[in-house]
Amino acid sequence: NCHACNEERLADEAPLADAERRVEMKRRINAAYSKYCGSQCSEVERAVVIYSAMQESQNLDQSDTSKGDSEPASNFCPFNNNVDFLARVGCDLRCAQSLGQRYEDYNIDGCVKYLLLGLRGAWQVEESGRIYPGTACDFQNFHRGGYTGWFNAKDADACGADCGYWLNPDFEGAVACASGNGGDANVRACESWCSAEDHCSWCKCRGCDGREFNGAPDCTLSDPLEPSGVDPDLPPGAVWLGCATFKDAAADGAKAILADTQLFDDGRRVCMHIAWVRRRRQMIGVARVVDLALS
């Protein structure tokens, strides 16, 4: 999971099988992009597409299956687009399920097609009788925070806005936690992607004691990550969605690929561990990336 990985600068820093899998996934994604980008193809947009898979799994080949395969929050494709969003670009539940949740089942052509519809603003949301057109930044807010994230930022500058928090009833009464990692939870949890001891530096994994599921790390002896104080703006059990830093990370990732174009095709992976927060005026913001791609 990219929310806790390290940037790999050399292909041979990863196991050979991992590097080969990434090369294969990039080849498939690049081919689909060439097929569906139409008259608006650009290296900038292609960088956004490749990074969109890099940020979701170690080898670009897995979806988050923790939310099943038939719920609005169920994720499909290497980009982890959920059923709720896919329906807004014309892909119903059966269509979403046909896109696949793992390497062996992926319909990469379809996955890239619907991702581009999101990035290019070919979708909208109807709320309280009003139609809100979807932009590239709205898409990032929806992707990071779901409908809640989009709704919280809908009346603000979508590119600059954060998207608030989600109140998770399952976390009510949990132990408060503060890691300093963008997009992290503010209580201890043990999510399905937690699989290594260094993941204990994340609140999303700090609640693992090695018994939750096969491969879960034992974080009981790790830094407790106790907060210096409770955020008065967040109620108990709230999870900060972190849309602003998510957009910054996505923009940084695309910029890194454009600076080293071998990353389009080789076995390396750039992920969220690269510089998290930078002033947007000094970098390529997600909106500017897509604007450049479409200009």
Side-chain angles (χ1 to χ4, degrees), residues 49-70:
V49 171
I50 291 291
Y51 179 77
S52 295
M54 286 183 178
Q55 72 182 354
E56 298 297 339
S57 68
Q58 187 70 16
N59 294 325
L60 293 67
D61 63 350
Q62 295 181 11
S63 304
D64 175 6
T65 59
S66 64
K67 300 168 186 174
D69 64 359
S70 59

Side-chain angles (χ1 to χ4, degrees), residues 3-180:
H3 302 283
C5 76
N6 294 315
E7 181 181 4
E8 291 159 2
R9 297 185 179 278
L10 301 174
D12 60 5
E13 290 182 10
L16 180 59
D18 288 353
E20 290 177 342
R21 176 58 62 85
R22 293 175 194 169
V23 168
E24 172 61 14
M25 285 300 297
K26 288 180 181 181
R27 183 193 65 77
R28 294 172 66 187
I29 293 170
N30 279 318
Y33 178 74
S34 296
K35 181 176 181 179
Y36 284 103
C37 64
S39 63
Q40 302 176 9
C41 300
S42 77
E43 293 296 89
V44 178
E45 186 180 62
R46 185 160 71 102
V48 175
V49 171
I50 291 291
Y51 179 77
S52 295
M54 286 183 178
Q55 72 182 354
E56 298 297 339
S57 68
Q58 187 70 16
N59 294 325
L60 293 67
D61 63 350
Q62 295 181 11
S63 304
D64 175 6
T65 59
S66 64
K67 300 168 186 174
D69 64 359
S70 59
E71 301 298 324
S74 299
N75 294 298
F76 295 90
C77 296
F79 313 117
N80 272 330
N81 290 326
N82 69 24
V83 169
D84 188 9
F85 173 77
L86 288 167
R88 299 174 193 278
V89 288
C91 183
D92 62 14
L93 176 60
R94 179 175 295 183
C95 167
Q97 292 171 336
S98 75
L99 299 177
Q101 291 184 309
R102 53 187 56 84
Y103 172 79
E104 296 81 5
D105 304 322
Y106 281 144
N107 171 3
I108 297 295
D109 277 6
C111 290
V112 171
K113 171 186 173 181
Y114 292 116
L115 176 67
L116 289 178
L117 291 176
L119 288 172
R120 294 179 176 182
W123 61 289
Q124 61 186 26
V125 178
E126 182 175 356
E127 173 62 35
S128 301
R130 178 180 172 184
I131 300 297
Y132 291 84
T135 67
C137 290
D138 286 313
F139 168 75
Q140 293 288 343
N141 291 335
F142 202 111
H143 183 76
R144 177 62 186 165
Y147 178 85
T148 299
W150 169 84
F151 181 87
N152 289 346
K154 65 181 174 60
D155 293 320
D157 171 17
C159 295
D162 218 325
C163 55
Y165 62 84
W166 172 60
L167 188 59
N168 185 344
D170 294 335
F171 284 175
E172 188 172 358
V175 179
C177 182
S179 69

Side-chain angles (χ1 to χ4, degrees), residues 191-270:
E191 298 192 358
S192 61
W193 58 269
C194 305
S195 60
E197 187 174 337
D198 62 355
H199 291 169
C200 296
S201 64
W202 286 73
C203 293
K204 291 180 177 181
C205 300
R206 185 59 189 79
C208 296
D209 63 10
R211 297 177 295 180
E212 287 76 11
F213 50 84
N214 185 34
D218 182 358
C219 299
T220 55
L221 299 180
S222 300
D223 184 333
L225 301 176
E226 295 177 346
S228 57
V230 178
D231 188 335
D233 296 327
L234 294 181
V239 177
W240 189 254
L241 296 173
C243 291
T245 45
F246 179 78
K247 287 175 287 194
D248 281 343
D252 271 354
K255 187 175 183 180
I257 295 170
L258 292 169
D260 179 359
T261 55
Q262 292 184 9
L263 285 163
F264 278 116
D265 304 293
D266 67 17
R268 293 174 296 164
R269 177 183 179 224
V270 174

